[in-house]
Amino acid sequence: MRFSLLPLLLLALAPLAAREPGAVWRAPLTPERIAALADPHGAAAPTLARALAAAAEVLPLQAAAVSPVPLFPLAVAPAPKAGLGQALAQHADFAGAQADDYETFAAAARRLLAGGPLPRHPADATARRWQDLGATLVREVAAARAALPAGSVAPAGFDALATDLQVLAALCRYHSRRSLAAIHYSLFKRGLRLAELLAATYTEREVVAAWRDLVHVAGDRYPPDVAAHWRAVLKSLEVNLRELEEQCCPPDEAIAKEKVWAPGYGLQPAAGDAPAKN
């Protein structure tokens, strides 16, 4: 019977790899890898493990609900239909990565206007899942910091790991708000109600704020090509937002007072809830 030391070697090297930015998404976050990344951090290990368990859902959910093309954190932008910085109109028209399982934004608008059975993964429920994952990451990273002994130096690799998790939290907020903005925009297209376009625009401002948080938290910690790509996404989002605002802002007072669709759950703040850059 042959015995390989490679798995043990990889686990032994995990704490060293965690000192480099991007360790969280460099390989799948299996339970063994989560333990290897979290355990060296002493009192902060339990909360880091919970944060990593949430992080393990982020990129698979993106692949299932948004695009099978890797979007993050690759520096090379994928096809326009799947791009992170695309215009809201393009995003709202996206057919979905797994349309049989995850409701498209156009289908969500049809369901909300005409009624009908709920799909397996309604678009607004997926938006909430994004929000919940982001909130979990923010909460557990803050708890991990608080668990470190006062006045002590953080264990080697802690800051890199925490930054990765904060970046993923901002990515979750981006997807949560982008999904809601796309639903509003799809409702506008089907019903031609300017109030829904206005709601889409206001929500898109939160999309830009979430991505701006991501760029701020990332700072200059990541490879230059990756950081440049993230900044380019922000610039594209800002340009697209200005074009959207030109269509409906400032709004007519009557339009601004019209009732619009709202998700059936409370929204976490889109801006300002990201932990400050280390």
Side-chain angles (χ1 to χ4, degrees), residues 97-163:
Q98 297 179 6
D100 291 342
D101 289 331
Y102 285 85
E103 185 180 44
T104 66
F105 304 120
R110 288 195 299 270
R111 171 176 58 82
L112 292 168
L113 289 172
L118 283 174
R120 182 178 178 186
H121 296 292
D124 45 333
T126 303
R128 180 171 188 173
R129 185 58 188 150
W130 282 120
Q131 173 176 290
D132 290 347
L133 285 172
T136 296
L137 289 166
V138 169
R139 182 179 65 251
E140 298 298 350
V141 169
R145 290 192 183 283
L148 296 174
S152 66
V153 177
F158 179 89
D159 286 342
L161 198 59
T163 300

Side-chain angles (χ1 to χ4, degrees), residues 212-248:
R212 189 176 292 117
D213 284 346
L214 185 153
V215 171
H216 174 72
V217 168
D220 58 359
R221 296 172 181 269
Y222 295 88
D225 56 345
V226 173
H229 174 52
W230 289 346
R231 289 192 296 270
V233 169
L234 176 59
K235 183 176 180 180
S236 179
L237 289 170
E238 290 172 337
V239 169
N240 292 331
L241 174 60
R242 286 195 293 271
E243 293 176 353
L244 197 59
E245 288 174 333
E246 289 174 358
Q247 298 181 49
C248 64

Side-chain angles (χ1 to χ4, degrees), residues 12-108:
L13 292 176
L16 296 177
R19 299 180 187 182
E20 298 299 323
V24 167
W25 52 75
R26 192 170 294 133
L29 287 170
T30 62
E32 294 78 14
R33 189 160 182 266
I34 287 174
L37 289 171
D39 286 352
H41 298 288
T47 50
L48 279 178
R50 289 194 292 270
L52 288 164
E57 296 186 47
V58 174
L59 297 187
L61 179 59
Q62 181 175 254
V66 181
S67 173
V69 180
L71 301 182
F72 182 90
L74 300 182
V76 179
K81 274 289 186 181
L84 286 165
Q86 65 188 358
L88 179 59
Q90 289 178 290
H91 191 78
D93 284 342
F94 181 52
Q98 297 179 6
D100 291 342
D101 289 331
Y102 285 85
E103 185 180 44
T104 66
F105 304 120

Side-chain angles (χ1 to χ4, degrees), residues 153-240:
V153 177
F158 179 89
D159 286 342
L161 198 59
T163 300
D164 283 356
L165 294 168
Q166 291 170 10
V167 166
L168 286 182
L171 179 69
C172 289
R173 290 194 300 277
Y174 164 88
H175 278 308
S176 172
R177 296 313 191 275
R178 202 98 221 257
S179 297
L180 297 179
I183 293 173
H184 280 298
Y185 192 85
S186 297
L187 287 168
F188 158 68
K189 286 181 63 177
R190 291 191 69 83
L192 297 180
R193 292 184 59 235
L194 289 177
E196 291 291 355
L197 177 61
L198 183 63
T201 303
Y202 287 165
T203 309
E204 192 71 356
R205 289 175 179 173
E206 298 179 347
V207 171
V208 175
W211 198 266
R212 189 176 292 117
D213 284 346
L214 185 153
V215 171
H216 174 72
V217 168
D220 58 359
R221 296 172 181 269
Y222 295 88
D225 56 345
V226 173
H229 174 52
W230 289 346
R231 289 192 296 270
V233 169
L234 176 59
K235 183 176 180 180
S236 179
L237 289 170
E238 290 172 337
V239 169
N240 292 331

